[in-house]
């Protein structure tokens, strides 16, 4: 599929995410005015990871990957809505991995109800992890071109 899109976490502000997605992603079919995101990966249900999910209400989402132990009410509610709209929702845990349009995605342990990700494309890798209050971030082992460490609070 040419032009496949993956969103990793929504950030904390739907008001900021919505216009950025609208400006970046092409209008999708089959419904005029709807747009498509092929895959959404949630690393957790905190405000920083899932606080902007309401910005995706106008998007058709194909697949959602989410930690199996997700209990954050707003994120769980959004997952239910997306499943009813036809999205495939897949629970992931540390050690899981998948290939997606040339990317290799590996799930690593992070903090409670969250996972870290290692995303590879060819020889390049990016790690995405969250730290929590008083809990240091633990990046998956390896060398990374980019290491994104969120604070889990903002």
């Amino acid at each position: 599929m040419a032009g496949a899109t993956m969103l990793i976490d929504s950030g904390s502000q739907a008001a900021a995410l919505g216009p950025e997605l609208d400006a970046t992603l092409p209008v999708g079919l089959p419904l005029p005015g709807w747009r498509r995101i092929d895959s959404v990966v949630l690393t957790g249900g905190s405000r920083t990871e899932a606080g902007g999910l309401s910005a995706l209400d106008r998007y058709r989402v194909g697949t959602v990957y989410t930690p199996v132990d997700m209990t954050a009410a707003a994120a769980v509610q959004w997952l239910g809505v997306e499943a009813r709209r036809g999205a495939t929702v897949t629970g992931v845990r540390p050690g899981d991995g998948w290939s997606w349009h040339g990317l290799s995605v590996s799930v690593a342990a992070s903090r409670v109800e969250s996972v870290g990700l290692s995303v590879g494309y060819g020889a390049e890798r990016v790690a995405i992890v969250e730290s929590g209050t008083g809990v240091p971030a633990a990046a998956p082992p390896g060398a990374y071109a980019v290491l994104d460490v969120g604070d889990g609070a903002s």
Side-chain angles (χ1 to χ4, degrees):
M1 174 188 315
T5 55
M6 175 187 280
L7 176 67
I8 299 176
D9 292 336
S10 68
S12 62
Q13 299 177 20
L17 178 61
E20 287 297 322
L21 291 173
D22 288 344
T24 304
L25 299 176
V27 174
L29 296 174
L31 302 173
W34 281 73
R35 296 174 187 259
R36 181 189 86 237
I37 297 176
D38 299 295
S39 183
V40 173
V41 181
L42 295 176
T43 61
S46 74
R47 182 172 171 261
T48 57
E49 298 154 332
L53 289 174
S54 65
L56 304 181
D57 290 348
R58 292 189 313 105
Y59 288 81
R60 180 124 357 233
V61 175
T63 303
V64 181
Y65 296 92
T66 181
V68 294
D69 59 355
M70 175 84 71
T71 61
V76 169
Q77 179 180 2
W78 181 83
L79 291 168
V81 167
E82 288 306 309
R84 287 189 294 281
R85 288 175 54 192
T88 300
V89 177
T90 302
V92 298
R93 58 179 40 99
D96 288 348
W98 65 95
S99 293
W100 190 83
H101 298 278
L103 297 176
S104 62
V105 182
S106 300
V107 180
S110 186
R111 56 187 176 85
V112 175
E113 292 192 37
S114 291
V115 295
L117 294 178
S118 173
V119 181
Y121 183 73
E124 300 299 326
R125 291 184 3 166
V126 173
I128 301 167
V129 296
E130 290 286 329
S131 64
T133 306
V135 179
Y144 295 96
V146 176
L147 177 61
D148 174 28
V149 179
D151 64 8
S154 57

